[in-house]
Amino acid sequence: MTLAVAAPSGARVRPELVCPAGTPAALRTAVEAGADAVYCGFRDETNARNFPGLNFSPAELTEGIRFAHAHGTKVLVAINTFPRAGGTALWHEAVARAEGAGADAVILADLGLVAHTAAKHPSLRRHLSVQAAAANPDAIRFWVETFGIRRVVLPRVLSVPEIAAINAEIPCESEVFVFGGLCVMAEGRCSLSSHATGKSPNMTGVCSPPSHVVYREEGDELVAKLGAFTIDRTAKGVAAPYPTLCKGRFTAGDYAGHVFEDPVSLDAAQMIPGLIEAGVTAFKIEGRQRSRAYTQAVVASFRKAVDDHMAGRPIAADMTRRLAEGQSTTAGAYKKTWR
Amino acid sequence: MSPVSNPPTLVMGPLLYNWSPETYVDFYARVADEIDVDRVHVGEVVCSKREPFYADHLPGVIERLTRAGKTVVVDTLALVTLKRERQLVADVTGLDGVEIEINDVTPLATLAPGRRFAVSPLVNVYDEGTYGWLAERGAWSICLPFELPIASIEALAAEGTRRGVETQVFAFGRLPLAISGRCYHARIHGLAKDSCQFVCNKDPDGLEVDTLDGEGFLAINGVQTLSDTAVAVLDETERLVAAGVSAFRLSPHACDMGAVATIFRERLAGRIDADEARVRFGGVGLGPRLGRPMMTGVWPATATGGR
């Protein structure tokens, strides 16, 4: 099978900016702010951002794709949860609907669903979701050679040199996250939320869901709980981070603090040149659950960063700082010291 | 194959923790000579940096277990990123005369067509489509992921019965809930992963992670995160066996694994009920942390009231 291969090192190939579209309004915002592609999902458990008030009905998807295509923007449909045994028809329908609506690609994670899509919708472009956690060239070759995967979204466990090494070996495009929420665990291989709340990214498309969050005042402190567990305690009057369970404070042995990860989000804007050099095809911005204003600001900033770099201009150092909304940011696993 | 007429298979899963080579060799000698399990998994799943400690001992361990009449299964790494790790996986898929178990899809790139394999609970098998595809590729045993509700377990076990594939559940031990590129043991000791000094060897069952209110929450084991308490699937064994689950996996812990195996053997044979099994579990030496309060259902979340 011959497929597009990553550009040779040194060539400055224009990367694709892939932006979140949690709602039809956010889709239009992202398109107008300069997205090369947007990604979105249906309003059900078939996608990994299954939050109330988000996502698309089939009619909204059709209309969104029409709008995006009229502006030269691609639409990628995320169907990236793992189907429920006995209920796979819902996921199969989602793939058929995405194709019927004119989606440019579907983003899939489940082996069985990928196999189904390759067999029943062979001309529908297939991307491998980050939720499939394909973290090395052998695994990626398996997906490409077996199911004709055209692009892999790389898990956030890899350093930039490792990404370059992968791209030198794989017969497909790669996409990496550059901004937004950051998983500490290999994506799609984490049952922490399921364990604490019964709601999981893999099955229900949510992690640390708001429905299980309780804030309670105790003396001078605000206690943030997820399900039955205290995730953090902060002094009253201090901004309390959302109790995402892997970013809370805990004790382990003599250690007290953020055992897994600080409450940080990913910002790899400054790594755009290195990631292009590493052969990355597409940059992904996380945040389908965020506001339109946020989407507009982040997409416009990254549009400018990519355009500046392509034109040989430096990427402004403080470009994305204000977007993190007071949160600290990290380059995550792209820098090896993160491990 | 009728799951009801055949007694379920008892499986000793792969050792997930960093035990000293001496403890490792002693443990498998005990498994070979004294512990009533049918099948034994060996091989490093969690961290490739631990593998050299066991490498020299592995052939002897396999030989001894085989001589004792156990079926031996060699596991692959769960998270494969480095060249050396890819080579370790290829070394396992190239083994002759021994069963292998995959812990992600990486081995499928190098596994010869027609070569059969087992599938670990760290592979995402949530639906009949995935189950069926793996069966057709050569899977003969599939151990289901931890977060599946009982209805999914029943649907997939039925699929296994139809296809003649063994459906297995993780029945004892801390539940391996997540794997990461980051080493938490190194992190909390102020070390980098590359110079970790193997600090995870201080915690033969993993290190407990408590909330700021002192409640048990999770446990860490290098790059792996596990449940705080152990699961011991004692309550729903009849229902699982009736559904077609035909193998039960015990994850090695630093307790009396012989006693654990005996309890499961008796429970699965119907000689003791769940209450009696729970009472007997008090004597296996799980320790104050690991054993309290033990989860005895198949749903991890039932213990926390989440589901």
Side-chain angles (χ1 to χ4, degrees):
Chain A
M1 193 177 306
T2 38
L3 295 166
V5 177
S9 175
R12 194 168 277 189
V13 176
R14 190 171 188 272
E16 187 176 302
L17 193 56
V18 181
C19 303
T23 61
L27 180 146
R28 291 191 293 274
T29 300
V31 167
E32 286 167 350
D36 297 309
V38 294
Y39 64 101
C40 55
F42 289 111
R43 195 173 293 138
D44 57 32
E45 62 200 290
T46 63
N47 89 85
R49 284 289 183 279
N50 180 26
F51 295 129
L54 280 195
N55 300 316
F56 289 66
S57 70
E60 287 166 346
L61 182 68
T62 303
E63 172 53 25
I65 290 174
R66 194 200 58 72
F67 178 86
H69 284 177
H71 289 76
T73 303
K74 293 177 195 163
V75 178
L76 319 177
V77 179
I79 307 170
N80 58 348
T81 50
F82 293 82
R84 193 174 59 254
T88 51
L90 180 67
W91 281 259
H92 293 178
E93 278 165 25
V95 172
R97 280 184 177 148
E99 183 174 48
D104 295 280
V106 284
I107 307 170
L108 310 172
D110 178 63
L111 202 159
L113 189 62
V114 171
H116 167 88
T117 304
K120 306 286 182 187
H121 307 272
S123 58
L124 180 58
R125 187 178 162 98
R126 297 174 288 285
H127 292 186
L128 190 67
S129 170
V130 71
Q131 298 299 116
N136 68 73
D138 297 325
I140 295 165
R141 274 198 300 110
F142 161 75
W143 288 105
V144 172
E145 290 168 5
T146 315
F147 303 114
I149 290 289
R150 301 289 296 277
R151 179 185 296 179
V152 58
V153 186
L154 294 175
R156 284 164 276 195
V157 297
L158 301 164
S159 67
V160 174
E162 285 166 0
I163 291 171
I166 286 175
N167 277 328
E169 279 194 61
I170 61 173
C172 70
E173 301 170 354
S174 66
E175 179 173 308
V176 300
F177 281 89
V178 288
F179 197 79
L182 173 74
C183 279
V184 194
M185 311 298 178
E187 294 91 340
R189 308 189 73 183
C190 177
S191 296
L192 294 191
S193 180
S194 181
H195 186 62
T197 72
K199 303 283 181 195
S200 84
N202 283 5
M203 295 195 69
T204 35
V206 294
C207 174
S208 309
S211 54
H212 288 65
V213 171
V214 176
Y215 291 100
R216 196 176 64 220
E217 285 185 8
E218 272 185 27
D220 294 336
E221 289 185 322
L222 185 68
V223 183
K225 295 189 89 124
L226 184 72
F229 300 105
T230 297
I231 303 300
D232 213 339
R233 285 173 167 269
T234 42
K236 256 192 230 169
V238 174
Y242 185 85
T244 304
L245 43 71
C246 60
K247 301 194 178 87
R249 285 189 299 147
F250 308 104
T251 61
D254 296 330
Y255 178 92
H258 297 104
V259 169
F260 303 103
E261 178 61 293
D262 303 324
V264 291
S265 62
L266 175 70
D267 181 0
Q270 294 303 319
M271 313 199 84
I272 284 175
L275 289 165
I276 291 175
E277 188 74 14
V280 170
T281 305
F283 293 141
K284 183 166 225 160
I285 295 168
E286 186 272 349
R288 282 191 277 154
Q289 71 284 16
R290 308 300 292 262
S291 69
R292 272 177 76 185
Y294 174 90
T295 302
Q296 200 284 330
V298 175
V299 174
S301 295
F302 272 87
R303 176 76 278 152
K304 183 171 182 328
V306 169
D307 290 349
D308 281 350
H309 176 68
M310 296 311 292
R313 296 186 294 268
I315 296 169
D318 60 348
M319 177 199 79
T320 45
R321 192 173 301 153
R322 69 194 168 85
L323 302 172
E325 300 179 340
Q327 265 206 328
S328 306
T329 60
T330 175
Y334 295 142
K335 290 193 173 149
K336 204 178 172 193
T337 48
W338 179 84
R339 291 172 185 164
Chain B
M1 177 166 59
S2 164
V4 180
S5 57
N6 297 325
T9 301
L10 261 191
V11 180
M12 188 69 77
L15 170 66
L16 300 176
Y17 308 96
N18 185 3
W19 291 1
S20 72
E22 299 74 39
T23 309
Y24 171 91
V25 169
D26 286 352
F27 172 70
Y28 285 105
R30 276 205 64 210
V31 175
D33 297 343
E34 299 167 28
I35 298 184
D36 180 18
V37 292
D38 307 296
R39 194 184 298 157
V40 184
H41 286 247
V42 296
E44 180 58 40
V45 170
V46 175
C47 180
S48 63
K49 292 185 68 178
R50 298 174 184 170
E51 187 271 344
F53 293 118
Y54 304 129
D56 290 348
H57 301 288
L58 190 57
V61 163
I62 292 173
E63 201 271 331
R64 181 153 188 181
L65 289 166
T66 307
R67 201 153 24 94
K70 314 290 190 193
T71 303
V72 177
V73 184
V74 182
D75 269 81
T76 60
L77 279 171
L79 180 61
V80 182
T81 58
L82 308 175
K83 264 216 161 78
R84 183 169 52 83
E85 294 169 342
R86 293 163 66 193
Q87 187 55 51
L88 285 173
V89 170
D91 290 348
V92 174
T93 57
L95 287 173
D96 282 325
V98 66
E99 300 287 358
I100 64 168
E101 176 169 86
I102 66 169
N103 282 274
D104 82 331
V105 301
T106 303
L108 297 180
T110 49
L111 198 68
R115 173 74 153 100
R116 70 179 215 158
F117 58 94
V119 178
S120 100
L122 302 184
V123 178
N124 283 334
V125 182
Y126 282 81
D127 56 275
E128 302 88 336
T130 298
Y131 197 114
W133 191 91
L134 288 167
E136 282 168 24
R137 178 68 175 83
W140 60 277
S141 171
I142 295 179
C143 189
L144 299 177
F146 319 107
E147 63 177 38
L148 289 180
I150 188 96
S152 290
I153 294 174
E154 288 175 332
L156 294 174
E159 184 73 18
T161 303
R162 265 196 301 281
R163 290 178 173 274
V165 172
E166 171 190 278
T167 301
Q168 192 180 132
V169 294
F170 185 99
F172 170 74
R174 280 196 154 130
L175 293 170
L177 296 172
I179 189 119
S180 174
R182 170 178 269 180
C183 176
Y184 304 114
H185 257 97
R187 176 174 163 88
I188 68 159
H189 285 90
L191 299 165
K193 186 181 178 188
D194 287 347
S195 51
C196 65
Q197 300 174 25
F198 302 97
V199 284
C200 56
N201 69 8
K202 295 184 169 83
D203 301 300
D205 288 315
L207 176 63
E208 288 83 7
V209 174
D210 292 350
T211 71
L212 293 180
D213 293 338
E215 311 149 310
F217 183 37
L218 297 164
I220 55 173
N221 168 39
V223 296
Q224 190 174 54
T225 304
L226 305 104
S227 60
D228 171 54
T229 56
V231 66
V233 177
L234 302 169
D235 287 334
E236 292 104 340
T237 52
E238 288 90 352
R239 184 173 173 184
L240 291 168
V241 171
V245 172
S246 52
F248 290 74
R249 174 172 300 213
L250 315 177
S251 183
H253 277 284
C255 66
D256 186 349
M257 288 303 294
V260 171
T262 301
I263 294 169
F264 271 93
R265 192 66 92 187
E266 301 269 293
R267 176 75 186 104
L268 291 169
R271 289 193 286 271
I272 58 174
D273 63 14
D275 290 338
E276 169 69 15
R278 264 194 295 278
V279 169
R280 288 209 205 166
F281 249 98
V284 305
L286 271 178
R289 285 302 304 262
L290 199 51
R292 137 202 96 83
M294 210 166 50
M295 298 178 274
T296 54
V298 288
W299 301 291
T302 46
T304 59
R307 210 179 277 265

